[in-house]
Amino acid sequence: GSAAADIPASSRITLPETAEEVAPILEVLPLQSLALGLSVARGGDPDNPRGLSKVTRTL
């Protein structure tokens, strides 16, 4: 985002210049990829997270 210039280069994810309307989409994708990689590296299953039920029960 616009605050990226204040972050050290070693911690920054650089993105291509793009229109302001689509910039949030491009900013989220690398972080989602990072979260997936961390989950897999820690032995987690991103498709079946612990403590989350993907079934909605109605009464």
Side-chain angles (χ1 to χ4, degrees):
S2 59
D6 299 333
I7 299 173
S10 62
S11 301
R12 192 179 319 163
I13 298 172
T14 57
L15 299 171
E17 292 292 324
T18 186
E20 186 176 348
E21 294 83 14
V22 296
I25 297 169
L26 292 178
E27 292 171 356
V28 167
L29 292 175
L31 295 177
Q32 287 180 336
S33 180
L34 175 65
L36 172 64
L38 287 173
S39 175
V40 171
R42 294 177 65 186
D45 181 5
D47 292 324
N48 189 17
R50 177 177 48 95
L52 178 67
S53 175
K54 294 185 178 184
V55 175
T56 303
R57 295 188 177 129
T58 58
L59 299 175

